[in-house]
């Protein structure tokens, strides 16, 4: 049994410690957000956050995760009450097939939590690991900037 | 310009046309859209007792937003809130057979059918209400799911439906709303599927989890023409979680309780390596392996003259020009590898698939499994965007073969990344050659175009074109490849210029022998043909000393085409453009298939001569898709098409070594990432209220590639005519 | 086209990343300068006066260079890796501004486009040659030795002229190079003159008789323009390369540049052909993919003449001639014993690419057992690759590996590296891995 903290809840998982987190999220915990795209760390479809950083869940064996804080798109908000990054993606309609989208949201979330004011060049460099074949990159960039504005505004408001 | 050929049922074999009986079409007035194929109203929509309406489409949501647009169409004509509509997509047990979701036909075929079916259903509801209320139909209006009388009495659709049968044949004419009264059509309704996708809802076939489901992986060599060498069956079979290895002929799959366990067992099977299996990679015997599209004219071809307009021969003073353009083999490159779930219960096979054609797939799987078609059901569930025929159908067949061997257990079969890269049917390599003459007045006086290509579709094709079908003992025979006839065309799609040319000839050198496994990729042959035509138009404009936009307009009579060109140029600020150092401007235009959406593109690029890096600074597109149902959906398609075509144009090329595919992942076949994404893309939608819907999904591919090539030529004074316009080729053109 | 990617590995802003050869030299020079600071400060003024004074030269017209000479210059500039330091990741080629952060301050690659005000547009060929070989710009200003003029002394006049022709025909970009921001006393440029007086050997390359023209061309490029020793030769206390031990391997900036001598750790000897392939594509199936700073080098080499790269390979194949060895078999069972955590780590994080059944292995990419990093005496390169990954070094397609800095702790990286060494590597077991991982992580992320 390996104990994993996912979206604030602790789960005891009976899986081989070598199993990449992606498979445990999807098949043991029933979370659909992280997607299998390549299993090679080349596309970012599987991106989740671990201790605040964006990581490829397809290459992260659960053996290294006890004691660490895992977040997936399911932890950012719901369809009815989306988090700021999710809301910005909706507002910009930043998807076509949407297969890459959850990974995009998670990578953007990791950036904006540290740097909500990130500029275009910074956002592009940060998002570089994630691929979108439908060509929604321009919408994604708009959504990330929009979310950044919302998150800066929110922070100011709460001060 | 349009060549009116009678459509024949045989066209459907080419894959992109909707099959219908020519005889019946002649017998009665043609019904709108796919009502022609499925004329009963209740095959398109049903009204529940609660007044909610279920709409059925035989088309598939592929991420193009078709579900949202079809709901809008139905909501408009039914006077119903979009949220009161449930859409059911392609399912052989429930929806009409609309062939393939391809060729940008969904709005034309299904959208038109639903629009008319909804309008006719509304008329029936009104008539029914008139009878119940004792009112004249003409005095009744429909509003928010109810029929309302002048005195305020209202009858909900649910109540009315109880006494109404929609099991009636549609009529040719529908009481359509005048476009001026549209409240849903023409508005950018947010996509209905996105909220769930953004919150981790189960949205894809990859997300399906059925009780007792097992995970399967198919084991193959790295690419067509190879097989595994002595896989360690016993070792893999003994690995943790492995339930079974399924073998049938050359087909081999591993089934495990856990997905990771299936992956680990697959790796054990592949560890012993692979070897050539002596079969031709393309499924038909090809002569020598061809890895470069420049070699295509060396293959035996059937020559099809698709346009022969004998005009006056060019006068003596005419100047002759010629050029050749090539495109390599390209991948669809879905971000999610193909996946399917199959379940064989009580002699019935159900397959959940992201195939673009559930009915043709059902026919192929039934033959493959030797089951009657009635015992096979294929249900479309979304996968990652596919842009044509990728591994979806193959994976569905793989899942079905495994499920048949393990009755009672749902089987989830997912391909690995290297399998999608290694085995998906590619978009074919192509070569186009143009010769033209300019008269002394700077107008084109003659035009000759030749294109060399394989077919662009292996659909439907039956079990013989599916990998599993080829691996059975004996293998199912693959049908001979066939060209898709004009006016849509395959390799010759858009080979006929839209421009007014006094003397023109176009020949399609259709090459039956296929060096590589191929099938339909977004825009088919239109990509290279438009790249060639629009690049050459630019070369001619330059030679004529004319502005590229002016030159195009001088040869363009179609009023809507002129509108698109003019609007793109105006919004871009074309006439006021001023070129900076190492910058260039490019323009291109096409009407997709000469039948679909019009798309004009202007752009500014920057080139770094030293590195060959080419960056799109700013792109402006104008698109006319007829009546625009969801303008943001159209913008999204065109934007995405521009970005994807930028990737094709600058970076993509499938690698081969002596005929064997060597591109196996995103490192060997890179596609565009954020750093190379254009700086800005603006899409202007020209709405044509009341005009027929025109397919949009593929309209940007050719014009984007051509505009990039033209902008590079503008920047450097030299042109790259072979795709991709890679850094090495740009460096060479810049000759430091 | 290619920009620094933030593949989940580098916490720092990409603009500050040290890539290619840039910066590594910088750090080394300044580290040793710190040690020698007292001596240098004392000697500074005298040396300054002696070393350089303004020496105006005639300015060349930007036009009129023969195309062949420009093309030669382009290929040579690629060998010299000019763009690496003189181009910002998001900027115009050669217009300067690439920041190099060191513990002692930040310097910026200068604008070497022919802009008259901010670039080298006002420089004559003589000015340029003097800067290349002595590190003294027109007006007598000393360039920081991040610019490898101590190698460029070897470059002959024709090649200097070709590079000049290439640079002078670039698009002029008006962009002032930011002033270096150095901590005391490193902002004091005359210190450099002292260093020059001690270590600068202003002698052209002399061909070795009895060797082929290609070999001599390779030697000339390696010693001169290619400045391979900048990374591969160990340095003395004052940051100059130790003349007695050329290309003997050196540790810098988190990475280890392995010896290009008989002590090469490559388990399979490099041949001229395999090395040429590696330099041209960043990958050789018999050896490894280029990673770290070498990735930037082979990326630059993409624009070099293949014949020059082959000459370099011919020469280096002889400097490494005595090196030999045989890759060892995959010792999975032995490595697994007593390392259950690392076994799981490898299976979940690495096996998808590096185990026998992985697609990458099936497609002929080199096995871990073939690469130098697992046969070096230090674990630095193995650690750095695990932490920071491999970016496609040359051409649009090429080997790629994501970094694991964000997902693995220092202890986990240490376990993993120990396991991989035991399974695929050679030589004695690596010691003190956790401390080394901490250090490499710090150095490699600009901290
Ligand atoms: S699936 Fe993890 S990076 Fe592609
Ligand atoms: S939206 Fe389809 S891959 Fe990004």
């Amino acid at each position: 049994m390996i104990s994993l903290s996912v979206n604030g809840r602790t789960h005891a998982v009976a899986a081989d410690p070598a199993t990449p987190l992606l498979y445990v999220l999807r098949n043991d915990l029933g979370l659909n957000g992280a997607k299998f795209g390549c299993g090679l760390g080349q596309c970012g479809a599987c991106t989740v956050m671990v201790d605040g950083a964006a990581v490829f869940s397809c290459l992260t064996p659960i053996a290294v995760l006890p004691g660490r804080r895992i977040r997936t798109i399911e932890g950012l908000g719901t369809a009815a009450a989306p988090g700021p990054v999710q809301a910005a993606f909706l507002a910009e309609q930043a998807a076509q097939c949407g297969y890459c989208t959850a990974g995009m949201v998670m990578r953007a979330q990791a950036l904006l939590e540290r740097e909500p004011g990130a500029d275009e060049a910074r956002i592009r460099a940060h998002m570089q690991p994630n691929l979108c074949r439908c060509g929604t990159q321009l919408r994604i960039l708009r959504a990330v900037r929009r979310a950044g504005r919302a998150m800066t505004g929110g922070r100011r408001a709460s001060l | 310009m349009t060549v009116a050929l009678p459509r024949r049922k045989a066209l459907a074999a080419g894959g992109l046309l909707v099959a219908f009986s020519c005889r019946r079409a002649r017998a009665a007035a043609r019904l709108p859209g796919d009502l022609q194929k499925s004329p009963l109203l209740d095959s398109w929509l049903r009204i529940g007792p609660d007044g909610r309406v279920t709409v059925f489409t035989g088309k598939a949501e592929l991420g193009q937003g078709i579900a949202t647009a079809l709901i809008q169409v139905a909501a408009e004509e039914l006077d119903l809130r979009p949220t009161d509509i449930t859409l059911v997509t392609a399912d052989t047990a429930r929806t009409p057979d609309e062939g393939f979701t391809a060729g940008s036909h969904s709005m034309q075929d299904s959208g038109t059918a639903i629009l008319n079916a909804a309008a006719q259903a509304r008329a029936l509801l009104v008539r029914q209400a008139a009878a119940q209320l004792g009112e004249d139909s003409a005095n009744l209006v429909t509003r928010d799911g109810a029929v309302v009388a002048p005195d305020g009495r209202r009858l909900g659709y649910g109540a009315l439906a109880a006494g109404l049968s929609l099991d009636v044949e549609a009529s040719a004419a529908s009481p359509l709303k005048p476009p001026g009264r549209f409240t849903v059509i023409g508005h950018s309704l947010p996509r209905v599927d996105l909220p769930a996708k953004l919150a981790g809802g189960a949205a894809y076939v990859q997300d399906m989890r059925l009780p007792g489901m097992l995970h399967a992986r198919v084991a193959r060599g790295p690419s067509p023409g190879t097989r595994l060498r002595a896989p360690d069956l016993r070792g893999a079979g003994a690995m943790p979680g492995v339930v079974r290895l399924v073998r049938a002929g050359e087909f081999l799959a591993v089934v495990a309780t856990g997905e990771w366990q299936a992956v680990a067992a697959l790796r054990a099977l592949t560890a012993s390596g692979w070897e050539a299996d002596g079969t031709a990679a393309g499924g038909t015997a090809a002569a020598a392996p061809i890895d470069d599209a420049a070699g295509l004219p060396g293959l035996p071809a059937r020559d099809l003259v698709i346009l022969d307009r004998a005009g006056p021969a060019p006068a003596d003073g005419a100047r002759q020009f010629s050029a050749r353009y090539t495109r390599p083999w390209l991948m669809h490159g879905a971000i999610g590898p193909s996946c399917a779930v199959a379940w064989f219960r009580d002699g019935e096979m159900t397959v959940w698939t992201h195939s673009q054609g559930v009915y043709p797939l059902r026919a192929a799987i039934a033959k493959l499994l030797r089951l009657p078609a009635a015992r096979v059901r294929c249900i479309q569930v979304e996968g990652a965007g596919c842009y044509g025929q990728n591994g979806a159908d193959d994976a569905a067949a793989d899942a079905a073969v495994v499920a048949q061997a393990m009755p009672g257990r749902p089987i989830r079969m997912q391909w690995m990344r290297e399998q999608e890269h290694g085995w998906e049917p590619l978009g074919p390599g192509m070569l186009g050659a143009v010769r033209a003459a300019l008269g002394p007045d700077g107008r084109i006086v003659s035009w000759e175009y030749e294109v060399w290509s394989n077919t662009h579709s292996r659909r439907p094709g039956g079990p013989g074109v599916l990998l599993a079908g080829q691996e059975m003992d004996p293998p199912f025979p693959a049908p001979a490849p066939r060209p898709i006839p004009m006016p849509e065309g395959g390799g010759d799609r858009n080979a006929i210029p839209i421009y007014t040319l006094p003397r023109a000839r176009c020949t399609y050198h259709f090459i039956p022998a296929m060096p590589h496994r191929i099938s339909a990729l977004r825009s088919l042959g239109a990509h290279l043909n438009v790249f060639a035509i629009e690049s050459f138009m630019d070369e001619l404009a330059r030679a004529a000393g004319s502005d590229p936009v002016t030159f195009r307009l001088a040869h363009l009579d179609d009023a809507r085409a002129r509108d698109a060109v003019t609007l793109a140029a105006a919004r871009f600020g074309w006439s006021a453009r001023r070129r900076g150092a190492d910058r260039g401007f490019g323009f291109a235009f096409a009407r997709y298939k000469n039948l679909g959406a019009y798309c004009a593109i202007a752009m500014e690029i920057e080139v770094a001569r030293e590195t060959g890096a080419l960056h799109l600074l700013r792109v402006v597109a104008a698109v006319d898709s007829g009546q625009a149902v969801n303008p943001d959906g159209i913008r999204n398609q065109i934007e995405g098409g521009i970005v994807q075509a930028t990737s094709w144009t600058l970076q993509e090329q499938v690698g081969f070594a002596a005929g064997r595919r060597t591109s196996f992942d995103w490192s060997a076949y890179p596609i565009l990432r954020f750093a190379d994404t254009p700086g800005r893309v603006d899409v202007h939608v020209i709405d044509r209220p009341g005009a027929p819907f025109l397919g949009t999904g593929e309209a940007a591919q050719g014009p984007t590639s051509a505009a990039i090539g033209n902008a590079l030529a503008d920047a450097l004074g030299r042109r790259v005519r072979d795709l991709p316009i890679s850094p090495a080729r740009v460096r060479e053109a810049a000759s430091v | 086209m290619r920009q620094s990617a933030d593949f989940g590995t580098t916490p720092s802003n990409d603009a500050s990343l040290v890539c290619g050869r840039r910066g590594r030299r910088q750090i080394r020079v300044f580290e040793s300068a710190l040690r020698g600071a007292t001596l240098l400060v004392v000697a500074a003024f005298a040396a300054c006066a002696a070393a350089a004074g303004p020496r105006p030269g005639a300015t060349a017209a930007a036009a009129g260079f023969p195309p062949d000479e420009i093309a030669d210059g382009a290929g040579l500039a690629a060998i010299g890796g000019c763009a690496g330091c003189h181009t910002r990741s998001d900027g115009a080629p050669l217009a300067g501004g690439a920041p190099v952060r060191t513990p002692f301050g930040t310097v910026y690659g200068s604008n070497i486009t022919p802009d008259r005000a901010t670039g080298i547009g006002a420089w004559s060929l003589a000015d340029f040659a003097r800067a290349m070989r002595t590190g003294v710009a027109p007006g007598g200003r000393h360039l920081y030795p991040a610019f490898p003029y101590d190698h460029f002394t070897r470059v002959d006049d024709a090649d200097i002229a070709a590079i000049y022709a290439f640079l002078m025909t670039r698009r002029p970009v008006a962009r002032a190079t930011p002033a270096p921001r150095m901590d005391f006393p490193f902002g004091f440029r005359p210190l450099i003159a002292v260093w020059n007086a001690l270590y600068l050997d202003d002698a052209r390359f002399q061909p070795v008789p009895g060797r082929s023209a290609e070999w001599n061309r390779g030697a000339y490029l390696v010693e001169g323009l290619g400045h391979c020793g900048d990374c591969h030769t160990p340095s003395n206390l004052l940051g100059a390369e130790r003349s007695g031990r050329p290309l003997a391997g050196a540790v810098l900036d988190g990475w280890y540049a392995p010896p290009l001598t008989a002590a090469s750790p490559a388990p399979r000897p490099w041949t001229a052909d395999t090395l040429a392939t590696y330099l041209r594509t960043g990958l050789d199936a018999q050896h490894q993919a280029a990673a770290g700073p070498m990735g930037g080098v082979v990326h630059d080499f993409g624009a070099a003449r293949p014949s020059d790269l082959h000459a370099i390979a011919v020469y280096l194949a002889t400097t490494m001639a005595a090196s030999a060895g045989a890759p060892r078999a995959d010792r999975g069972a032995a490595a697994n014993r007593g390392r259950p955590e690392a076994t799981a780590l490898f299976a979940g994080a690495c096996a998808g690419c590096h185990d026998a059944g992985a697609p990458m292995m099936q497609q002929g990419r080199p096995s871990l057992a073939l690469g130098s990093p697992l046969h070096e005496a230090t674990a630095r390169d193995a650690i750095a690759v695990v932490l920071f990954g491999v970016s496609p070094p040359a051409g649009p397609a090429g080997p790629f590996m994501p970094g694991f800095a964000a997902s693995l702790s220092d202890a986990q990286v240490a376990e993993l590296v120990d396991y991989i060494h035991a399974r695929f590597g050679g030589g004695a077991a690596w010691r003190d891995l956790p401390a080394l991982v901490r250090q490499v992580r710090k150095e490699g992320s600009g901290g």
Side-chain angles (χ1 to χ4, degrees), chain A residues 16 18-20 23 25-27 30-43 45 58 73-74 77-79 85-86 89-90 92-102 104-105 120 123-125 127-142, chain B residues 62-63 190-191 193-202 204 206-207 209 215 217 259-260 263 331-337 382-385 387 412 414-417 615 632 635-637 639-640 643-644 647-648 652 665-667 669 671-675 677-681:
Chain A
D16 178 346
T19 313
Y23 298 99
L25 292 174
R26 294 184 57 83
N27 301 327
L31 299 172
N32 297 311
K35 298 283 189 289
F36 177 82
C38 66
L40 306 166
Q42 297 176 347
C43 76
C58 70
I73 198 163
E74 289 86 350
T78 61
V85 182
Q86 290 166 306
F89 272 67
L90 278 174
E92 296 290 348
Q93 293 283 292
Q96 282 188 26
C97 75
Y99 198 87
C100 70
T101 313
M104 295 285 183
V105 168
E120 172 86 13
I123 296 170
R124 284 189 184 230
M127 299 300 291
Q128 186 78 340
N130 286 36
L131 292 173
C132 172
R133 184 54 158 168
C134 294
T136 66
Q137 282 89 341
L138 288 149
R139 287 170 179 250
I140 291 169
L141 290 168
R142 286 202 289 276
Chain B
L62 309 171
R191 284 264 300 272
D193 51 335
L194 291 193
K197 286 176 174 173
L198 273 160
Y204 305 91
Q206 284 91 344
D207 299 335
R209 275 180 286 275
H215 291 275
R217 290 293 183 276
E259 190 172 6
W260 173 245
V263 173
M331 272 183 203
H332 301 77
I335 295 299
E382 275 188 72
Y387 334 103
R412 181 182 179 280
Q414 180 159 16
W415 277 13
M416 302 301 289
R417 169 46 53 198
H615 191 66
D632 189 59
R635 278 195 292 272
N636 200 350
Q637 279 302 298
E639 254 177 56
V643 171
Q644 187 181 71
S647 179
W648 291 2
E652 296 184 33
D665 68 359
W666 298 121
S667 78
Y669 187 84
I671 61 173
L672 178 132
R673 290 181 181 270
F674 275 92
T677 299
R680 180 178 179 143
V681 175

Side-chain angles (χ1 to χ4, degrees), chain B residues 309-509:
Chain B
R309 188 183 301 138
D316 278 354
R319 289 185 293 155
Q320 302 279 346
F321 300 89
S322 66
R324 285 157 67 105
Y325 305 86
T326 64
R327 159 186 121 151
W329 282 262
L330 297 176
M331 272 183 203
H332 301 77
I335 295 299
S338 294
C339 181
V341 176
W343 197 354
F344 191 50
R345 273 173 300 180
D346 308 324
E348 306 251 354
M349 177 66 71
T350 307
V351 183
W352 290 266
T353 169
H354 52 101
S355 166
Q356 292 179 295
V358 287
Y359 278 93
L361 177 64
R362 173 176 75 166
I365 287 181
K367 283 202 191 115
L368 173 68
L369 304 182
R370 302 183 195 286
L371 291 171
R375 314 228 79 179
V376 178
R377 176 179 180 188
C378 290
I379 304 172
Q380 191 261 341
V381 187
E382 275 188 72
C386 59
Y387 334 103
Q389 187 182 0
N390 65 356
D393 301 81
D394 296 303
D398 293 345
V401 169
V402 174
Q404 191 179 33
M406 302 184 72
R409 298 303 294 266
I411 302 296
R412 181 182 179 280
M413 163 71 70
Q414 180 159 16
W415 277 13
M416 302 301 289
R417 169 46 53 198
E418 78 277 10
Q419 293 175 327
E420 190 71 35
H421 265 70
W423 290 90
E424 67 143 89
L426 305 173
M430 297 175 73
L431 185 147
V434 206
R435 258 194 314 275
L438 281 179
D441 57 352
R443 291 184 61 93
I444 303 169
V445 291
S446 82
W447 178 281
E448 188 172 349
Y449 183 63
E450 294 176 89
V451 54
W452 283 262
S453 172
N454 287 131
T455 183
H456 281 250
S457 179
R458 294 292 277 147
R459 295 193 289 208
V465 301
L466 298 174
L467 295 176
Q470 294 162 2
E471 289 164 345
M472 293 297 135
D473 187 18
F476 285 86
R482 278 187 291 190
I484 304 169
M486 287 306 234
E488 304 230 342
D492 48 354
R493 180 167 292 181
N494 274 91
I496 299 177
I498 192 170
Y499 299 104
T500 305
L501 307 168
R503 177 187 169 94
R505 187 181 163 91
C506 296
T507 310
Y508 177 20
H509 303 285

Side-chain angles (χ1 to χ4, degrees), chain A residues 18 40-41 56 59 64 68 122 125 129, chain C residues 6-7 344 348-349 400 406-407 412:
Chain A
L40 306 166
F56 302 120
L59 291 181
V64 308
R68 303 180 68 181
R122 178 81 189 104
Chain C
D6 193 353
F7 274 80
F400 166 83
S407 54
Q412 287 158 349

Side-chain angles (χ1 to χ4, degrees), chain B residues 103-117:
Chain B
S104 298
H105 268 279
S106 297
M107 287 311 291
Q108 275 156 274
D109 300 347
S110 202
T112 305
I114 290 169
L115 182 85
N116 285 276

